[in-house]
Amino acid sequence: MLLKTHRDDVEAILAKYPARRSAVMPLLHLAQKVYGHCTDEVTREIAQIVELDPTEVRSVVGFYTLFYDHATGKHVIQICDDLPCALRGADEFVDHVCQRLKLDPDKVRHGGQTTEDGQFTVETVMCLAACDRAPMTQIDLSYFENLTQEQFELLLRRFSG
């Protein structure tokens, strides 16, 4: 599947690494970019390409928070809610985001949830390294810190377009 449709990209990635197994993360990134998430089928294919057991490739997907084994929205909103951030209002911020996007705070806090229109997936994460600037969020790898509800509304408008 990935090898058939994106052979040149796969070969270019493999050419950058002296050992095939070192290409696991870039290949997963390519797969996620193409398919939206890392399906079982594509993780098995990547395992075959890099000569690893599929379980080893799945463990990479499971370990890193930027790889998904399930479909996500167009934009992923990660909100840090560890203790330092909670002390600076992260829990209330999560509740506001959930209310605003009509999501279940329990689902957001336990694996994430996607809005009905597929625009946003919201999930809580443990530590985004900005404890002193909470509440904060990462949206598609961009950080937004010291957020207020009003600032979040502006971000929603910015990413909804």
Side-chain angles (χ1 to χ4, degrees):
M1 178 164 83
L2 189 64
L3 194 53
K4 283 183 182 179
T5 58
H6 293 82
R7 179 177 287 284
D8 292 342
D9 294 328
V10 170
E11 294 300 329
I13 289 169
L14 292 173
K16 292 179 183 179
Y17 298 95
R20 291 176 87 80
R21 71 181 306 135
S22 301
V24 168
M25 289 180 62
L27 289 172
L28 286 169
H29 179 72
L30 172 63
Q32 187 160 287
K33 182 179 172 186
V34 171
Y35 303 111
H37 64 289
C38 301
T39 65
D40 277 343
E41 183 179 351
V42 82
T43 55
R44 283 192 301 273
E45 182 182 7
I46 290 171
Q48 187 176 9
I49 292 168
V50 299
E51 301 166 355
L52 289 174
D53 187 273
T55 303
E56 292 177 275
V57 177
R58 276 190 220 100
S59 71
V60 174
V61 174
F63 180 78
Y64 290 99
T65 60
L66 295 177
F67 290 124
Y68 294 94
D69 62 0
H70 58 279
T72 62
K74 182 178 177 184
H75 302 286
V76 176
I77 300 173
Q78 294 181 321
I79 303 169
C80 181
D81 71 343
D82 65 359
L83 182 59
C85 290
L87 292 172
R88 291 186 47 91
D91 289 333
E92 295 82 7
F93 185 73
V94 170
D95 290 339
H96 169 75
V97 170
C98 291
Q99 181 182 14
R100 174 60 178 81
L101 295 175
K102 298 178 177 72
L103 299 175
D104 180 338
D106 251 5
K107 289 181 181 177
V108 166
R109 287 184 171 99
H110 296 98
Q113 187 178 14
T114 301
T115 56
E116 282 188 27
D117 63 3
Q119 190 74 10
F120 299 102
T121 294
V122 180
E123 61 186 10
T124 57
V125 294
M126 190 61 63
C127 196
L128 290 170
C131 302
D132 62 325
R133 295 177 301 281
M136 63 88 52
T137 186
Q138 176 176 265
I139 303 175
D140 301 339
L141 300 179
S142 295
Y143 271 42
F144 303 94
E145 302 165 340
N146 294 309
L147 288 172
T148 64
Q149 293 179 5
E150 294 78 21
Q151 290 167 325
F152 182 72
E153 292 303 316
L154 294 174
L155 288 174
L156 279 182
R157 279 188 233 131
R158 174 177 163 187
F159 285 94
S160 291

